[in-house]
């Protein structure tokens, strides 16, 4: 069985209550937002020990941390500060016991030789080297570009430098094939989003829907992950929940049922 985690932010609860709720729902892990829920500069060693004790009480692990910057690493404005802050978050991720830090990397030009791509590769290589020192993996979020294009871009980095946070729902919402994108990116996947989506012809793009109600083939995806001996988590995420706790609970139940042989 692939372990299931909960993005705490999706529960729309105060941090301590969200931890308790994730434990009560029987999740295996959680994802913490290191910009909006806990800030690295506010994490003392005593605070980290206290948090780990709470996690232990609820049988939870920190499956991943997210560090959502306002702009990608392809944007030059304030880039140095953004990179430094990401490196600090990587150290905090390790201290919390997480093996994966997730963020969007910014736009990838389909013309792989574009100058902006070259600059972005340099930044990612720098972040990857720091991640290696920290003992975490930097995972680039999917969704903004087609999986095969992202693969060609990432293939230019050293082997094992960067991972991928595979979000099938975001890919569908943006008009891409989740299945084809997974097949292209499989070797990079270190974290997976439990998020679903459907095409909305009226809007010209997709919309997020509760797990199991969209067009993501989770049965196929989970079978593919198991075949690849995937060791990470599937993280339940709801961007616009009407009933947050119930929808996260339903998502956990849905993915558990999909995994029953």
């Amino acid at each position: 069985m692939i372990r299931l985690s909960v993005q705490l932010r999706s529960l729309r609860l105060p941090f301590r209550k969200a931890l308790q709720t994730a434990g009560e729902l029987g999740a295996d892990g959680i994802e913490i937002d290191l910009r909006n829920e806990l800030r690295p500069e506010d994490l003392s060693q005593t605070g980290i020990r206290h948090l780990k004790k709470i996690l232990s009480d609820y049988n939870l692990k920190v499956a991943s941390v997210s560090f959502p910057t306002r702009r990608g690493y392809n944007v030059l404005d304030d880039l140095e500060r953004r990179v430094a802050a990401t490196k600090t978050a990587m150290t905090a991720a390790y201290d919390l016991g997480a093996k994966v830090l997730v963020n969007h990397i910014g736009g990838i030009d389909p013309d792989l030789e574009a100058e902006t791509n070259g600059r972005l590769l340099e930044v990612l290589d720098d972040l990857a080297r720091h991640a290696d020192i920290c003992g975490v993996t930097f995972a680039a979020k999917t969704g903004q570009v087609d999986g095969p294009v992202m693969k060609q871009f990432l293939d230019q980095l050293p082997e094992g430098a960067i991972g991928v946070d595979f979000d099938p729902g975001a890919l569908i919402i943006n008009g891409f094939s989740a299945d084809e994108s997974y097949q292209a990116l499989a070797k990079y996947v270190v974290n997976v989003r439990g998020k679903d989506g459907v095409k909305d012809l009226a809007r010209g793009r997709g919309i997020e829907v509760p797990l199991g109600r969209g067009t993501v083939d989770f049965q196929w995806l989970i079978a593919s992950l198991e075949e690849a001996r995937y060791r990470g988590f599937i993280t339940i995420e709801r961007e616009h929940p009407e009933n947050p706790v119930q929808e996260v609970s339903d998502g956990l139940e849905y993915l558990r049922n999909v995994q029953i042989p």
Side-chain angles (χ1 to χ4, degrees), residues 99-102 105 108 112 121 124 128 137-142 146-167 180-192 225 228 230-233:
K99 294 184 177 176
V100 175
L101 179 140
V102 175
I105 59 174
I108 297 171
L112 293 178
L121 285 169
L124 293 178
T137 299
F138 180 95
K141 291 176 72 70
T142 62
D146 201 7
V149 173
M150 191 171 190
K151 175 195 181 295
Q152 286 183 309
F153 175 78
L154 294 178
D155 280 350
Q156 298 174 89
L157 288 163
E159 185 82 23
I162 293 281
V164 158
D165 175 70
F166 186 74
D167 186 337
E180 286 177 15
S181 291
Y182 175 77
Q183 287 170 332
L185 292 166
K187 73 172 184 177
Y188 287 105
V189 175
V190 294
N191 200 54
V192 176
L225 290 166
Y230 176 67
R231 293 286 174 263
F233 288 76

Side-chain angles (χ1 to χ4, degrees), residues 198-226:
V198 292
K199 291 178 181 173
D200 185 337
L201 297 176
R203 295 188 185 197
R205 73 192 298 269
I207 54 170
E208 185 207 9
V209 294
L211 270 173
R213 298 190 193 171
T215 54
V216 176
D217 186 346
F218 278 102
Q219 203 155 11
W220 176 86
L221 177 58
I222 286 171
S224 300
L225 290 166
E226 287 174 341

